[in-house]
Amino acid sequence: MDCIFCKIVAGEIPSTTVYEDELVYAFRDINPMAPTHILVIPKEHLGSVNDITPYNSAVVAHIFEVIPQIAAAENLTGGYRVVSNCGQDAGQTVHHLHFHILGGKELSLQMA
Ligand code: AMP
Ligand code: ZN
C-alpha cells in the first residue's frame, strides 16, 4: 500500500522517533505547528477515526495510555492538545490514523 506513515513504520522513510512499542509509533511532525508537535500512530494501518471498530479499538485505547507518557517525557507540564483530523472537511492529508500532540506554548482556542 502506498501509505507514507506505513513507510515510516517500516523505516522506508526517515522520521525522528519519540516512542515505539509493538503496537504504536510516535515521531516528530515534519512541519511543526507548535514547539512540541508529535504524531502518534498505530503500526497497523487504519485510515482514520472512521475506521475504528470493536475489533481494533484496543490500539486506540493503548495510544491514549501512551500519550500522557510522551507528554511527561516531553515536559509538557503546562498541558497539551490531542487532535485527530478525520476526512476532507477536517483537512486530513495523511490517510493513516494519527493523533497530533501539540504543546510547548499556550495554544490558541481557535478550533475551526
Ligand atoms: P493531517 O493534516 O491531520 O492529516 O496531518 C498530517 C501531518 O503529517 C501533518 O502535520 C504533516 O506535517 C505530517 N507529515 C507529513 N509527512 C510527514 C513526514 N514524512 N514526517 C513527519 N510528519 C509528516
Ligand atoms: Zn498506513
Short mmCIF file of all heavy atoms in Angstrom, two decimals, residues 1-7 42-46 95-97, ligand 2:
data_model
loop_
_atom_site.label_atom_id
_atom_site.label_comp_id
_atom_site.label_asym_id
_atom_site.label_seq_id
_atom_site.Cartn_x
_atom_site.Cartn_y
_atom_site.Cartn_z
N MET A 1 0.85 -1.20 0.00
CA MET A 1 0.00 0.00 0.00
C MET A 1 0.89 1.25 0.00
O MET A 1 1.93 1.26 0.63
CB MET A 1 -0.91 -0.02 1.23
CG MET A 1 -1.96 1.07 1.15
SD MET A 1 -3.13 1.07 2.49
CE MET A 1 -2.73 -0.36 3.43
N ASP A 2 0.43 2.25 -0.70
CA ASP A 2 1.21 3.47 -0.83
C ASP A 2 0.82 4.45 0.28
O ASP A 2 0.17 5.45 0.02
CB ASP A 2 0.96 4.07 -2.22
CG ASP A 2 2.06 5.05 -2.59
OD1 ASP A 2 3.20 4.88 -2.11
OD2 ASP A 2 1.78 5.98 -3.37
N CYS A 3 1.26 4.12 1.50
CA CYS A 3 0.90 4.95 2.65
C CYS A 3 2.18 5.45 3.29
O CYS A 3 3.03 4.67 3.73
CB CYS A 3 0.07 4.16 3.66
SG CYS A 3 -0.16 5.02 5.22
N ILE A 4 2.32 6.77 3.36
CA ILE A 4 3.56 7.37 3.86
C ILE A 4 3.82 6.98 5.31
O ILE A 4 4.98 6.73 5.69
CB ILE A 4 3.51 8.91 3.67
CG1 ILE A 4 4.81 9.57 4.08
CG2 ILE A 4 2.37 9.54 4.38
CD1 ILE A 4 4.87 11.04 3.74
N PHE A 5 2.78 6.86 6.14
CA PHE A 5 3.01 6.52 7.54
C PHE A 5 3.33 5.02 7.70
O PHE A 5 4.11 4.66 8.58
CB PHE A 5 1.85 6.96 8.43
CG PHE A 5 1.79 8.45 8.68
CD1 PHE A 5 0.77 9.00 9.45
CD2 PHE A 5 2.75 9.32 8.17
CE1 PHE A 5 0.71 10.37 9.71
CE2 PHE A 5 2.70 10.70 8.41
CZ PHE A 5 1.67 11.22 9.18
N CYS A 6 2.76 4.16 6.85
CA CYS A 6 3.19 2.76 6.87
C CYS A 6 4.66 2.67 6.49
O CYS A 6 5.41 1.85 7.07
CB CYS A 6 2.34 1.93 5.91
SG CYS A 6 0.70 1.51 6.56
N LYS A 7 5.10 3.51 5.54
CA LYS A 7 6.52 3.51 5.15
C LYS A 7 7.40 4.02 6.28
O LYS A 7 8.53 3.54 6.47
CB LYS A 7 6.72 4.34 3.88
CG LYS A 7 6.15 3.65 2.64
CD LYS A 7 6.35 4.47 1.39
CE LYS A 7 5.81 3.70 0.18
NZ LYS A 7 5.65 4.55 -1.00
N PRO A 42 -1.00 4.09 15.13
CA PRO A 42 -0.94 2.63 15.25
C PRO A 42 -0.02 2.08 14.17
O PRO A 42 0.00 2.60 13.04
CB PRO A 42 -2.39 2.19 15.01
CG PRO A 42 -2.97 3.27 14.16
CD PRO A 42 -2.24 4.55 14.51
N LYS A 43 0.76 1.05 14.49
CA LYS A 43 1.60 0.44 13.45
C LYS A 43 0.73 -0.21 12.38
O LYS A 43 1.09 -0.22 11.20
CB LYS A 43 2.56 -0.58 14.08
CG LYS A 43 3.66 0.11 14.88
CD LYS A 43 4.71 -0.89 15.37
CE LYS A 43 5.92 -0.15 15.92
NZ LYS A 43 6.93 -1.08 16.47
N GLU A 44 -0.40 -0.75 12.82
CA GLU A 44 -1.39 -1.30 11.89
C GLU A 44 -2.04 -0.16 11.10
O GLU A 44 -2.39 0.87 11.67
CB GLU A 44 -2.44 -2.05 12.71
CG GLU A 44 -3.68 -2.47 11.98
CD GLU A 44 -4.82 -2.90 12.92
OE1 GLU A 44 -4.72 -2.64 14.13
OE2 GLU A 44 -5.78 -3.48 12.43
N HIS A 45 -2.24 -0.36 9.81
CA HIS A 45 -2.87 0.70 9.00
C HIS A 45 -4.36 0.78 9.28
O HIS A 45 -5.11 -0.16 9.01
CB HIS A 45 -2.65 0.48 7.50
CG HIS A 45 -3.27 1.58 6.69
ND1 HIS A 45 -2.59 2.72 6.31
CD2 HIS A 45 -4.54 1.74 6.21
CE1 HIS A 45 -3.39 3.52 5.65
NE2 HIS A 45 -4.58 2.95 5.56
N LEU A 46 -4.79 1.94 9.81
CA LEU A 46 -6.21 2.30 9.88
C LEU A 46 -6.30 3.66 9.21
O LEU A 46 -5.42 4.51 9.40
CB LEU A 46 -6.68 2.40 11.33
CG LEU A 46 -6.56 1.14 12.19
CD1 LEU A 46 -6.92 1.44 13.64
CD2 LEU A 46 -7.47 0.05 11.64
N HIS A 95 -3.78 9.60 5.17
CA HIS A 95 -4.91 8.71 5.45
C HIS A 95 -4.45 7.43 6.15
O HIS A 95 -4.71 6.32 5.70
CB HIS A 95 -5.72 8.48 4.17
CG HIS A 95 -6.32 9.78 3.69
ND1 HIS A 95 -7.50 10.29 4.18
CD2 HIS A 95 -5.84 10.72 2.85
CE1 HIS A 95 -7.74 11.46 3.63
NE2 HIS A 95 -6.74 11.75 2.82
N HIS A 96 -3.73 7.65 7.24
CA HIS A 96 -3.34 6.63 8.22
C HIS A 96 -3.63 7.29 9.57
O HIS A 96 -3.08 8.37 9.86
CB HIS A 96 -1.86 6.27 8.04
CG HIS A 96 -1.33 5.22 8.98
ND1 HIS A 96 -0.63 4.11 8.53
CD2 HIS A 96 -1.36 5.13 10.33
CE1 HIS A 96 -0.25 3.37 9.58
NE2 HIS A 96 -0.68 3.97 10.68
N LEU A 97 -4.48 6.65 10.35
CA LEU A 97 -4.92 7.24 11.62
C LEU A 97 -3.74 7.80 12.41
O LEU A 97 -2.73 7.12 12.59
CB LEU A 97 -5.63 6.17 12.46
CG LEU A 97 -6.12 6.59 13.84
CD1 LEU A 97 -7.20 7.66 13.75
CD2 LEU A 97 -6.62 5.37 14.61
ZN ZN B 2 -0.67 3.34 6.61
#
